[in-house]
Amino acid sequence: MKNLKLILSFFAALTIFSGCNNDLLETIPNDRVSSEIFWKTENDAILAANAVYTYLETAANFTNWDAMSDIGHVTLGWREESLIEKGSYDATYAKILNEWNDAYKGIQAANAFLTNVDQIEVADKAVINRLQGEVRTLRAYYYAKLAMLYGDVPLVITNITIEESRNLTRTPVAQVWDFISKEYTESAALLPLTQTEKGRVTKGTALALNARALLNAGRYKEAAAAAKQVTDLNVYSLYNSYENLFTYAAENNAEIIFDKQFIKDIQSNNIFSLTTPNSVFPQVNSFVPTKLAVDAYKMTNGKNITDPASGFDPKNPYTNRDPRLRYSIYVLGSELPNGKIYDSKPGSGTGDAIGNSENSTSTGYNIRKYLNKEDMTQPNNSGINLILMRYAEILLIYAEAKIEANEIDQSVLDAINKVRNRADVKMPSLVTIGSQAELRKLVREEREVELAFEGLRYFDIRRWRIAETVVPGILYGMTYTNANGALVTISLPAFVKVFNKERDYLWPIPQRERELNPNLAQNPNW
């Protein structure tokens, strides 16, 4: 079985609830799933648990998180993510409301499951216990996103009425993080190491997401311990090829801890069409890398390109660079999925040339991750799974948490070096246990390149409180050699990225929610 079969056609349009209002004839409603006919069998429990998975990231959401950071750019100016880049957004924006609503829809589905599942009488509770562990993990996952975006949020763990929802107040974020960690920990005890159906939450998923949550909460000793728990399961390891990690051939490999599964023609995604170069598929690139993204990849000798001793040649800027650069980003000279050579220089005559059309890259770069030849004929019908958590992140969580807790030892270098020493990466090992500040810089740099365009950078620069420093202002793209032999750097002076440190570390509470419930206080300076 390829993956978790989500019964979307059944649950997307129907509401699971604990009871129905009696009417004169005591008829069963036909517009929802009633407890009169549901919550009877083990299969009912499986279907209801499957419904909670449907609120995981869409492909568009998955790609656009990094586009709002320093390493990416939303090319479609009408998208609200582009306005978030510019810092010109407010509580009325649909993006702000949709993220809130989608998370709470997932939480509502989880609460409905957890409220009702014990009604089912089964001889063996093992399956029910496992499903409870999955659903509680997913509910914690949705709460973690809310906490990262909005800070204090209403903590709702039971079914509530519309009237009750209009009297909720915001729970302090520290208490929300307490709840999240408790849920992950207790869920792990209910979950198996592996699942027959790929894509379902496992013990490792719960423990790994707990490590990420604790890191975001600033609870570093606990985060390091949680990350070590994942390693000690002896289930996960790094895939041998970073270049092929985001291909169909690598799906469900031992590095994958949690992903959203897709199947062509049944439950597909459009990630190929969202980021592919114009010469492969002529559609607007919704998200492209920036110069800052490319410059973050060091030379193969381990030195930054700005270091005079690095050997960096600005006329051959992609030579002797960290291999993950070309594995993650299409740069001049890269081979595309259709066999063509990527040439985005203005006037190159290719479909990828900057300024060729509105469908062409604006920075001279395109994303490579998740673009596979198998999807070329149907770019909007991709079946590639989207990775939400992998083992490389766990190693870097462990290293970062130990550094921040100032518990620095050889195990910190070992964790980082495992990531750097992947078979087709082979960046130089770190050999010296430096100061906390030095190692903090190194692990942050490693996260930036290892996890680029996987939906984490936007949250990283916010939790590190460096966003106002790294978000660039004027946007820059590639540097290339023009026909006269001069170096030219692409700039987009009309587009200025802005991050307001007095406001933007928390999103505003959606205006619509505050109109429905005035008890929801607004975040500062919104």
Side-chain angles (χ1 to χ4, degrees), residues 146-317:
L146 288 169
M148 289 187 292
L149 289 174
Y150 305 96
D152 302 349
V153 292
L155 183 59
V156 184
I157 59 175
T158 59
N159 276 346
I160 59 174
T161 65
I162 292 176
E163 290 73 23
E164 288 171 327
S165 72
R166 291 176 177 171
N167 292 300
L168 293 170
T169 58
R170 296 172 66 185
T171 303
V173 70
Q175 293 180 29
V176 177
W177 286 123
D178 288 343
F179 171 78
I180 290 167
S181 185
K182 181 174 182 288
E183 287 292 283
Y184 283 144
T185 301
E186 293 181 0
S187 297
L190 300 172
L191 291 164
L193 284 175
T194 60
Q195 296 259 31
T196 302
E197 276 189 310
K198 300 300 182 183
R200 287 197 176 276
V201 167
T202 64
K203 182 187 294 291
T205 307
L207 294 175
L209 292 175
N210 191 33
R212 179 193 283 172
L214 290 165
L215 189 73
N216 277 276
R219 302 175 184 183
Y220 300 119
K221 290 186 178 182
E222 295 173 70
K228 189 173 186 303
Q229 282 183 294
V230 179
T231 296
D232 289 346
L233 293 176
N234 293 315
V235 171
Y236 305 105
S237 59
L238 296 179
Y239 190 60
N240 62 357
S241 173
Y242 190 94
E243 181 177 18
N244 296 317
L245 182 57
F246 307 94
T247 67
Y248 286 96
E251 286 187 331
N252 304 315
N253 72 78
E255 185 167 346
I256 310 305
I257 299 176
F258 189 36
D259 61 6
K260 184 170 183 179
Q261 301 246 330
F262 293 91
I263 308 176
K264 281 178 181 285
D265 302 319
I266 297 174
Q267 186 193 347
S268 60
N269 66 63
N270 63 339
I271 196 165
F272 188 98
S273 64
L274 287 171
T275 59
T276 189
N278 184 52
S279 62
V280 177
F281 180 61
Q283 180 166 312
V284 175
N285 296 289
S286 64
F287 163 35
V288 292
T290 64
K291 178 177 174 60
L292 286 176
V294 172
D295 288 354
Y297 293 86
K298 298 181 180 181
M299 302 295 288
T300 52
N301 59 17
K303 297 183 182 298
N304 289 310
I305 64 170
T306 55
D307 186 332
S310 67
F312 175 69
D313 179 0
K315 292 195 173 184
N316 295 285

Side-chain angles (χ1 to χ4, degrees), residues 288-451:
V288 292
T290 64
K291 178 177 174 60
L292 286 176
V294 172
D295 288 354
Y297 293 86
K298 298 181 180 181
M299 302 295 288
T300 52
N301 59 17
K303 297 183 182 298
N304 289 310
I305 64 170
T306 55
D307 186 332
S310 67
F312 175 69
D313 179 0
K315 292 195 173 184
N316 295 285
Y318 313 116
T319 301
N320 296 325
R321 299 288 292 277
D322 183 331
R324 288 171 292 187
L325 170 56
R326 286 184 177 271
Y327 300 158
S328 303
I329 300 173
Y330 286 120
V331 298
L332 291 175
S334 294
E335 183 177 345
L336 297 170
N338 58 6
K340 295 181 179 179
I341 300 302
Y342 185 74
D343 187 353
S344 56
K345 295 192 302 294
S348 69
T350 72
D352 298 316
I354 294 173
N356 176 71
S357 75
E358 66 173 0
N359 299 332
S360 303
T361 174
S362 56
T363 62
Y365 305 119
N366 278 99
I367 304 295
R368 181 179 175 186
K369 287 181 176 178
Y370 292 108
L371 299 190
N372 293 291
K373 293 180 181 179
E374 294 91 332
D375 294 328
M376 284 180 54
T377 57
Q378 293 181 296
N380 289 305
N381 185 26
S382 174
I384 192 71
N385 298 336
L386 301 181
I387 302 169
L388 302 178
M389 167 65 79
R390 56 189 178 91
Y391 185 56
E393 184 185 350
I394 287 298
L395 291 171
L396 295 177
I397 287 173
Y398 174 81
E400 182 182 346
K402 293 278 282 184
I403 292 166
E404 293 299 336
N406 208 17
E407 296 179 347
I408 300 169
D409 55 24
Q410 184 60 40
S411 69
V412 171
L413 299 190
D414 291 344
I416 297 172
N417 287 335
K418 284 179 183 177
V419 176
R420 293 168 64 86
N421 294 160
R422 194 190 298 260
D424 65 347
V425 175
K426 292 295 184 186
M427 288 295 287
S429 294
L430 306 179
V431 295
T432 303
I433 300 178
S435 69
Q436 183 185 40
E438 290 169 337
L439 289 173
R440 178 184 291 128
K441 181 175 182 293
L442 285 169
V443 76
R444 290 181 178 184
E445 291 173 342
E446 196 62 32
R447 277 187 69 93
E448 182 176 2
V449 297
E450 174 67 23
L451 304 173

